[in-house]
Amino acid sequence: MWPGVIERYRAWLPVSEHTPVVTLREGNTPLVEAPGLLGRGKTLWLKFEGLNPTGSFKDRGMTLAVSKAKEAGARTVICASTGNTSAAAAAYAARAGMTCVVVIPDGRIAVGKLAQALAHGARVVALAGNFDEALAHVRALAEQHPALALVNSVNPFRLEGQKTAAFEIVDALGHAPTHLALPVGNAGNITAYGMGFRAYRDAGRIPALPRLLGFQAAGAAPLVLGHPVEHPETVATAIRIGRPASGERALAAVAESGGRVEAVTDAEILDAYRRLATTVGILAEPASCAAVAGVLKLEREGYFAAGDEVVVVLTGHGLKDPDTARAVSGVEPIRASSRAEIEALLELATPS
Ligand code: F0G
C-alpha cells in the first residue's frame, strides 16, 4: 500500500525515527496523457496533483512541515495563503491534533478552499490586504511568538516534502522528461522541483535536469518583469502574488536547468482551462491552467522539438473553485418538469 511521501522517500528527507509522521497518504498522483495538445512526435503528461488528499500539491510539503512541527513540540501552526496552503495546513493540523491559524486575503480565495479550512476547524482570519501583506504579518508573528510554527514555504521542510513530486515523475517514467512546466506564485514549488531533480541527478539516477518552465499570470508576474508587483491581479487567485518569497532561488533553479519563466494572460489561462475540461476530461484550477496555457503558447512559437517529453504539473483540482467552473462553462442548467419536456429539449422524437 502507498505509505505517503515521507515513508516512500524517507532516505531523501530530513526525518529520523523520532519524527512523528503525520500523513494522509499524500502523493502517488498519476501522470495522465494529454494527446492532441502538442504536435506529432512530442509527448505531454499531466501530473494531476489535484488528486492529493486536500486537492493540491501542498499536501506533500504539509506532511513534512507538520510532522517536524510536532516533533519540535509545537501546538499551533500558522500560515498565510491564497487558499490551498490553508486547506492543507488545516487538514494536517487536524490530523496531528494541533491548532491551525490561517490568514487569507479577504474575499480573494476560491470558495472550496475557504470551506476546507473552516471545515477542518482552522481559525480563519480574512485580512483586508493581499497575500504578500498576509505573509509579511504571519512571518513577523511567528518570529515574535516562538509557540507558533510557520508552515508557509519559507519553512524549509515544505520544499523538502514538495521535491518528492520530482522523484515520482522520474520513478514513474523511468527517466526524466525533457521539460517540466508549472505555475509560479510564491515560487516555492518550482524551487522544490529543482531540488528534487538535482538530488536525483547528483545521485546518478538521471543524467541531466529537465528544463523548468515556470508560468506566471500576466497581472502578477514579478519574476518576468524583474520587480515586485504592488497590486497583483489575475483570475488565477492561487498565484495572485507580487513578491514571491522564493523568487531568487526559483530563478536560479530555472537558469541552472536551461528553462525559462514567462507570463500568460487571463484569457489564455481560461482558454486552456476550457480545453482541458472539454477535450482532456480534467478539471484543474485556473492557476494550474496557467502552465497548460504556457506550454500551448510555447508550442505555437515552435519552442518544442520532436522527441520532447513535457510534464505539466496540474497543481490543484478544479473543484476548489466552482465559481470559475460555472463561469467558464457560460451556460445554466436547462429546467424541465416532465419527461416530455426533457425529450423535447433533446430534440428526440416522441414515441408513438
Ligand atoms: N498552483 C496552485 C494551485 C497554488 O495554490 C499555488 C500556490 C501555486 C500553483 C504556486 O505555487 O507558490 O509554490 O509558486 N499557492 C499558495 C497558497 C501561495 O497559499 O496556497 P508556489
Side-chain angles (χ1 to χ4, degrees):
M1 214 199 306
W2 178 262
V5 299
I6 293 179
E7 291 305 346
R8 173 63 184 83
Y9 293 107
R10 180 173 272 273
W12 303 83
L13 297 172
V15 290
S16 74
E17 67 273 26
H18 305 299
T19 310
V21 175
V22 180
T23 181
L24 294 167
R25 298 187 189 254
E26 60 294 311
N28 196 27
T29 55
L31 286 170
V32 183
E33 292 121 310
L37 290 190
L38 291 183
R40 283 168 60 130
K42 304 163 204 172
T43 312
L44 183 66
W45 296 100
L46 305 167
K47 175 80 170 155
F48 196 9
E49 289 285 273
L51 296 183
N52 275 295
T54 76
S56 86
F57 71 97
K58 303 289 181 177
D59 296 344
R60 296 178 182 279
M62 210 52 77
T63 182
L64 200 64
V66 171
S67 296
K68 295 300 283 189
K70 189 161 184 173
E71 182 178 0
R75 308 276 301 272
T76 303
V77 297
I78 188 168
C79 66
S81 181
T82 57
N84 282 321
T85 298
S86 61
Y92 282 81
R95 182 77 186 192
M98 296 166 84
T99 303
C100 178
V101 180
V102 306
V103 183
I104 55 168
D106 191 11
R108 300 307 297 260
I109 81 168
V111 64
K113 304 174 186 180
L114 176 60
Q116 285 178 287
L118 293 168
H120 287 301
R123 291 251 177 115
V124 178
V125 180
L127 179 74
N130 63 27
F131 169 83
D132 302 296
E133 292 161 313
L135 182 58
H137 289 319
V138 299
R139 287 179 87 156
L141 287 168
E143 253 170 51
Q144 283 160 25
H145 304 276
L148 295 176
L150 183 65
V151 294
N152 278 108
S153 57
V154 292
N155 174 333
F157 298 123
R158 279 276 314 278
L159 300 193
E160 290 287 337
Q162 284 173 210
K163 78 183 180 191
T164 60
F167 299 162
E168 282 181 18
I169 290 169
V170 174
D171 292 346
L173 293 175
H175 54 259
T178 55
H179 298 80
L180 188 286
L182 76 176
V184 175
N186 214 22
N189 206 31
I190 193 167
T191 304
Y193 272 92
M195 288 162 55
F197 288 126
R198 202 180 311 121
Y200 261 24
R201 184 201 54 193
D202 293 350
R205 296 214 174 188
I206 54 175
L209 303 173
R211 293 179 194 273
L212 297 177
L213 306 174
F215 297 99
Q216 301 203 288
L223 298 184
V224 179
L225 297 170
H227 58 76
V229 174
E230 283 310 317
H231 302 289
E233 269 312 335
T234 168
V235 65
T237 52
I239 53 172
R240 185 169 162 265
I241 293 174
R243 292 179 182 274
S246 301
E248 277 170 30
R249 291 178 70 193
L251 290 175
V254 169
E256 184 190 0
S257 76
R260 46 168 87 183
V261 180
E262 295 205 358
V264 288
T265 65
D266 278 6
E268 289 170 324
I269 291 171
L270 293 175
D271 274 351
Y273 183 108
R274 241 175 250 118
R275 203 159 155 198
L276 205 60
T278 60
T279 73
V280 180
I282 290 183
L283 201 61
E285 68 170 280
S288 309
C289 297
V292 179
V295 165
L296 293 175
K297 188 176 92 163
L298 290 183
E299 170 71 355
R300 284 196 301 275
E301 293 169 358
Y303 172 82
F304 297 110
D308 279 353
E309 185 175 37
V310 185
V311 173
V312 177
V313 185
L314 298 182
T315 47
H317 203 292
L319 289 174
K320 293 268 192 179
D321 187 353
D323 294 332
T324 298
R326 291 199 65 178
V328 163
S329 77
V331 291
E332 289 296 316
I334 303 160
R335 294 188 199 291
S337 53
S338 70
R339 191 189 309 163
E341 254 181 56
I342 303 171
E343 267 185 325
L345 289 167
L346 295 175
E347 294 172 339
L348 291 176
T350 311
S352 50

